[in-house]
Amino acid sequence: DQSHHDLMPSINSLAISPDGTKLFSGSLDGTIKMWDLPKLIPELITTLDQSHHDLMPSINSLAISP
């Protein structure tokens, strides 16, 4: 089992969904993680991996539109 500390190295940016149920984190390693917030301990829902892009491997900002 991995803890949420292991899954979130070098976070550059955070965004919360308008309804407050999801947290998105963007990291230096080129990943965007989506977390489910209504639970006592946030649960990782999915990871989008952008690290294969040579020009922009890190995620520096996130924005959510309703």
Side-chain angles (χ1 to χ4, degrees), residues 27 34 45 57:
S27 301
M34 182 170 66
I45 296 172

Side-chain angles (χ1 to χ4, degrees):
D1 257 350
Q2 287 183 316
S3 73
H4 61 278
H5 297 288
D6 297 332
L7 297 171
M8 298 177 68
S10 304
I11 294 173
N12 284 347
S13 58
L14 293 172
I16 296 177
S17 63
D19 64 2
T21 63
K22 304 287 185 281
L23 172 70
F24 298 84
S25 62
S27 301
L28 283 174
D29 65 0
T31 59
I32 298 171
K33 296 183 185 299
M34 182 170 66
W35 300 84
D36 192 17
L37 288 182
K39 302 184 183 207
L40 183 59
I41 298 175
E43 179 181 335
L44 181 63
I45 296 172
T46 192
T47 299
L48 304 172
D49 186 357
Q50 300 298 310
S51 62
H52 60 277
H53 294 290
D54 292 335
L55 297 177
M56 299 183 85
S58 67
I59 307 298
N60 295 314
S61 64
L62 293 170
I64 298 174
S65 177

